[in-house]
Amino acid sequence: MAEASDHRSFESHHARFQRYQGGDPLAPPVDLAEALDKIGEQVMAGYSAERAMREYLRRGGEGRRGLDDLGRRVSERRRDLLQRHQLDGTLQEIKKLLDRAVLEERKQLARDVDLDDLDRSFAETRLENLPASTSAAVNELQDYQWRSSQARADYEQIKNLLGRELLDQRFGGMKQALENVTDADREAVGEMLNDLNDLLEKHARGEDTPQDFEDFMAKHGAFFPEGPRNVDELIDTLAKRSAAAQRMLNSMTEEQRQELFELSAQAFGSPELAQQLARLDQSLQALRPGEDWSGSERFDGDQPLGLGEGAGVLQDLADLDELSEQLSQSYEGARMDDIDLDKLARQLGDEAAVDAHTLRELERALRRDGTLRRDSTGRLQLTPKAMRQLGTTLLKDIAKRMSARQGQRELRQAGAAGDLSGSTRAWQFGDTEPWDIPRTVLNGIRRRAAEPADAGGRLIGIDDIEVAETEARTQAAVALLADTSFSMEIDGRWVPMKRTALALHTLIRSRFRGDDLQLIGFGRHAEVMDIEELTALEASWAKGTNLHHALLLANRHFRKHPTAQPVLLIVTDGEPTSHLESDGEVRFSYPPHPVTIAYTVRELENSMRLGAQITFFRLGDDPSLARFVDSMAKRVEGRVVAPENEELGAAVVDSYLGSRAWSASGGYGAGGDWSGWGRGGLWGD
């Protein structure tokens, strides 16, 4: 044993290996696009960015289990352990050995014809009158002179089993390691326990040194396959197991506990082992009072557990409770890094650990890659970079919807006299646009590299040429008026409205940088918002749809850009029910007051006089709203679009692009097909 101990000590102090937790090491990095889309949608619905991220991690994504699913599986495993097992396995095994020993002894007494009748009668009487209690019967036979060698072996096995089980409770794996226990093994165990207790008591007094631990492990390291590196790690390991053993005893009935207490004196044939273990438990409880020493569980199954197995199951239950809390992420300062992937793999398997690891990497990537940041108050929010990424995703979705509705025709208004759009396309016969030299040369190099046989040919071929696109464009002043009244939230239009605003904002900032967009939200009153404010806006119960105030702000925006083409886009699901008085106070009335209507109409006519191209996006089927919007559009020579919620973004973008086409061509277009705007579509290359 000493030789094995020395070997183990060398291994534990010079090399420590752990299972790789990262799943497939060749797997691609986590894709943030889906996560960002889901998180962004939650933010637009009124969630904080922190909560939105937590919700995504809880629910998971495409083909990926979330924390809720992992937590459910943890709960199911915990319930299965309790419903499958019972804790009297050691008592049942001892009773079987005792019954077999007594039966074999009775057979031997009946076969032994040379035995004195008086001795036979005394022995049979003693066996017949054994106490009903297993522990009392075992103690009663302590000095019995066995005549059957098989019976004697079974009785001795009871003592060895008790010793192995008691040790297995505190040191996992000892039951199997000491299956063929010898006197030398018992002596080694006793010496280890005595030295261990001395070390722990010395540590409790603050008198131990690192050398004391080194000496102990050099001598007894074979008993500790976990390979603790210092006395605190040793205590942590032992305390968890010892606390689990105590919880197992707490979970037993009073009769079962009493039986084990009385039987423990017979472990390895003397009470010394039980005394050493009691001393160990006392030291560990004093050193680690934070462990759960008083808990208990209710087992309702029919599969018996031995003392060591039971302690292992109680430890599993404690691990599952820890995992359940970690996976809930409901405590202050919770992070995915808190999840113990080793425990998760042991309890649920490697796939569960890989799912949790992927979610952890996703959280890290969201924080690390500039997607989320904390503001001055410490709240988590989407960064401008994240908003751009989210807006790009929305534009792609809008482009698909427009292409499906209108076909795949690309419309380009390119000319040598126009502004460079930043996009390129393959040269076609008759093109007069300037060559894009870097792209053209790069195409030639790529072609020659891909076709070695043509390496000696021309550097530039006809198919390599790309020309720089230009756009005949004028500047536009765009005002998007978004209804933020509570009815938008009630009828499921809140998120589509925000997604539309973000898509339009992204399109203008990325493809039409010369245009000036102003976002105006209007409920009981109106206000100019930046895109971060609008997307994070929470719905509030405040009566009023103040289109008049919104139009005042829009017209002010148009007047600030006298040389730009005004474009007015109004998204609403209700008639105007409030207006702004001259003193700045808001007046509300439902049904709409004639004064509110008059004020609103006056500002719409002002927009028309400023040359604005006006489009109403009417949401819902309210007949009175339809009549009002239709009459207003007719009055100001505007248009009315009545899209479904999911089509709102495509309708607004289509209208904006159509207004720009009117500016470029001198007339008002219907929008046409704009899904291929530029070489890279709405979102560029």
Side-chain angles (χ1 to χ4, degrees):
M1 260 196 175
E3 183 178 324
S5 174
D6 292 341
H7 179 63
R8 179 62 206 173
S9 176
F10 175 81
E11 289 183 337
S12 63
H13 288 78
H14 290 79
R16 290 177 64 83
F17 297 94
Q18 292 181 327
R19 185 215 329 232
Y20 174 68
Q21 298 178 344
D24 183 0
L26 301 180
V30 291
D31 181 10
L32 298 182
E34 181 208 2
L36 181 59
D37 185 52
K38 297 294 184 183
I39 291 171
E41 187 168 337
Q42 293 287 339
V43 169
M44 292 181 198
Y47 285 40
S48 68
E50 181 82 44
R51 182 181 174 189
M53 183 179 69
R54 293 295 167 201
E55 286 293 313
Y56 179 78
L57 295 175
R58 282 181 51 240
R59 298 175 183 176
E62 292 293 332
R64 181 187 306 117
R65 282 184 287 261
L67 295 177
D68 281 355
D69 186 68
L70 294 173
R72 175 186 57 78
R73 292 177 61 196
V74 164
S75 298
E76 289 176 351
R77 172 157 171 74
R78 193 184 199 284
R79 185 168 57 251
D80 177 66
L81 289 175
L82 292 173
Q83 293 178 349
R84 184 160 26 111
H85 297 297
Q86 58 177 327
L87 299 179
D88 61 350
T90 298
L91 293 176
Q92 287 190 30
E93 195 170 353
I94 290 173
K95 189 175 188 312
K96 288 179 182 178
L97 288 171
L98 178 63
D99 290 344
R100 193 169 70 186
V102 170
L103 179 60
E104 290 297 327
E105 181 68 8
R106 284 177 173 169
K107 290 179 180 179
Q108 183 62 36
L109 290 174
R111 289 194 299 266
D112 196 346
V113 296
D114 296 332
L115 183 63
D116 183 79
D117 290 342
L118 183 60
D119 292 339
R120 178 185 292 108
S121 177
F122 179 76
E124 288 176 345
T125 300
R126 189 173 180 183
L127 293 175
E128 288 174 0
N129 292 284
L130 287 173
S133 166
T134 301
S135 60
V138 170
N139 288 329
E140 176 71 23
L141 294 172
Q142 186 174 2
D143 61 351
Y144 181 81
Q145 299 298 316
W146 298 94
R147 290 164 178 81
S148 167
S149 58
Q150 179 62 51
R152 184 184 305 107
D154 288 339
Y155 184 76
E156 291 299 321
Q157 190 175 345
I158 290 174
K159 299 178 182 180
N160 290 336
L161 175 64
L162 281 167
R164 290 160 53 210
E165 287 279 15
L166 289 173
L167 287 170
D168 204 37
Q169 269 193 313
R170 278 78 173 182
F171 310 91
M174 292 291 277
K175 182 177 181 181
Q176 291 75 24
L178 297 175
E179 187 169 4
N180 299 311
V181 63
T182 64
D183 290 339
D185 293 333
R186 296 188 190 94
E187 183 178 347
V189 168
E191 186 177 5
M192 181 273 292
L193 287 174
N194 188 66
D195 291 347
L196 176 60
N197 282 321
D198 288 345
L199 175 64
L200 297 186
E201 290 166 3
K202 193 174 182 180
H203 180 75
R205 297 192 300 269
E207 299 173 358
D208 65 317
T209 66
Q211 189 59 46
D212 291 330
F213 173 75
E214 295 290 337
D215 293 343
F216 175 80
M217 291 299 295
K219 186 176 181 181
H220 304 296
F223 289 102
F224 304 96
E226 303 88 356
R229 293 171 292 186
N230 52 55
V231 69
D232 284 312
E233 286 191 7
L234 175 65
I235 293 171
D236 288 341
T237 301
L238 293 173
K240 289 184 182 298
R241 188 79 178 182
S242 181
Q246 183 60 53
R247 292 195 301 275
M248 179 183 178
L249 291 176
N250 299 342
S251 304
M252 291 180 169
T253 64
E254 183 63 35
E255 292 77 14
Q256 289 172 337
R257 284 196 295 270
Q258 186 63 31
E259 286 279 282
L260 284 175
F261 177 75
E262 294 177 359
L263 282 169
S264 63
Q266 295 295 325
F268 287 160
S270 75
E272 184 178 353
L273 176 62
Q275 293 168 0
Q276 290 277 30
L277 291 176
R279 181 185 168 195
L280 174 63
D281 291 339
Q282 185 177 4
S283 292
L284 292 172
Q285 191 163 355
L287 289 166
R288 293 294 184 270
E291 293 289 341
D292 183 6
W293 299 92
S294 59
S296 63
E297 301 287 351
R298 179 173 178 177
F299 288 82
D300 300 318
D302 54 10
Q303 295 183 17
L305 292 172
L307 296 182
E309 294 170 329
V313 169
L314 266 295
Q315 204 164 359
D316 284 343
L317 292 173
D319 287 349
L320 290 168
D321 288 340
E322 287 184 23
L323 286 170
S324 181
E325 183 178 11
Q326 293 165 5
L327 292 168
S328 73
Q329 295 281 287
S330 59
Y331 48 91
E332 187 70 24
R335 290 289 183 271
M336 290 294 297
D337 287 338
D338 299 340
I339 299 174
D340 191 323
L341 298 184
D342 277 339
K343 285 182 181 178
L344 192 63
R346 284 198 303 271
Q347 298 299 334
L348 299 185
D350 290 338
E351 287 188 7
V354 169
D355 286 335
H357 178 271
T358 303
L359 291 173
R360 173 190 291 181
E361 290 302 304
L362 184 63
E363 183 194 43
R364 288 176 178 173
L366 286 170
R367 297 180 186 277
R368 181 183 64 238
D369 294 350
T371 304
L372 299 174
R373 69 178 180 188
R374 296 197 178 277
D375 60 17
S376 58
T377 65
R379 293 183 58 189
L380 204 65
Q381 60 179 196
L382 293 174
T383 63
K385 175 183 176 182
M387 299 297 291
R388 289 193 298 271
Q389 292 174 336
L390 186 58
T392 298
T393 301
L394 294 175
L395 276 177
K396 289 180 179 179
D397 179 64
I398 287 173
K400 290 178 182 177
R401 292 179 181 275
M402 293 170 67
S403 296
R405 184 176 68 229
Q406 300 169 338
Q408 297 293 337
R409 179 177 60 87
E410 289 191 0
L411 178 65
R412 295 191 183 90
Q413 293 181 339
D419 298 329
L420 291 174
S421 69
S423 299
T424 64
R425 60 180 173 82
W427 177 86
Q428 297 177 1
F429 180 77
D431 282 338
T432 60
E433 292 81 8
W435 284 18
D436 187 300
I437 301 301
R439 293 294 294 266
T440 299
V441 173
L442 181 60
N443 289 340
I445 293 173
R446 285 176 173 171
R447 172 180 51 77
R448 288 157 61 89
E451 302 175 6
D454 193 38
R458 294 181 179 179
L459 175 61
I460 302 297
I462 292 296
D463 293 336
D464 300 326
I465 301 173
E466 291 196 26
V467 295
E469 285 193 334
T470 59
E471 294 173 346
R473 63 164 65 179
T474 59
Q475 185 185 26
V478 185
L480 174 63
L481 279 53
D483 190 340
T484 58
S485 61
F486 198 70
S487 61
M488 293 284 285
E489 166 70 14
I490 293 175
D491 295 326
R493 298 164 186 141
W494 192 253
V495 172
M497 175 270 291
K498 291 184 177 183
R499 291 170 68 91
T500 297
L502 179 55
L504 183 62
H505 175 272
T506 303
L507 175 62
I508 291 176
R509 289 294 181 269
S510 61
R511 301 289 293 158
F512 299 97
R513 297 182 183 89
D515 290 357
D516 198 305
L517 170 66
Q518 187 168 85
L519 301 173
I520 301 171
F522 64 98
R524 186 176 182 85
H525 67 279
E527 61 180 311
V528 176
M529 300 179 177
D530 59 31
I531 190 60
E532 288 80 13
E533 287 178 307
L534 181 58
T535 53
L537 183 67
E538 296 184 15
S540 60
W541 176 255
K543 296 180 179 179
T545 303
N546 200 333
L547 179 58
H548 166 245
H549 191 186
L551 288 167
L552 283 170
L553 296 175
N555 289 337
R556 181 187 303 172
H557 175 61
F558 296 150
R559 292 186 183 101
K560 287 181 180 179
H561 302 82
T563 62
Q565 168 61 49
V567 177
L568 180 61
L569 308 171
I570 303 171
V571 177
T572 186
D573 70 345
E575 299 172 78
T577 55
S578 62
H579 67 272
L580 201 64
E581 296 281 9
S582 58
D583 59 1
E585 292 296 319
V586 172
R587 178 177 177 180
F588 167 78
S589 175
Y590 184 83
H593 195 279
V595 173
T596 300
I597 299 298
Y599 275 38
T600 304
V601 170
R602 184 178 66 190
E603 281 308 311
L604 271 172
E605 290 176 341
N606 286 338
S607 299
M608 180 183 67
R609 293 188 189 99
L610 291 171
Q613 302 301 313
I614 303 172
T615 306
F616 288 89
F617 300 90
R618 175 174 55 81
L619 303 177
D621 300 321
D622 182 12
S624 60
L625 173 64
R627 287 193 297 271
F628 170 79
V629 169
D630 288 344
S631 63
M632 290 301 98
K634 184 177 180 180
R635 189 182 188 101
V636 296
E637 300 179 2
R639 287 197 307 155
V640 177
V641 181
E644 298 295 330
N645 290 346
E646 62 274 11
E647 294 291 335
L648 176 61
V652 169
V653 168
D654 189 28
S655 180
Y656 163 71
L657 293 174
S659 297
R660 299 207 89 269
W662 181 92
S663 302
S665 63
Y668 191 81
D673 171 40
W674 303 88
S675 62
W677 183 273
R679 178 176 174 79
L682 295 177
W683 54 92
D685 288 329

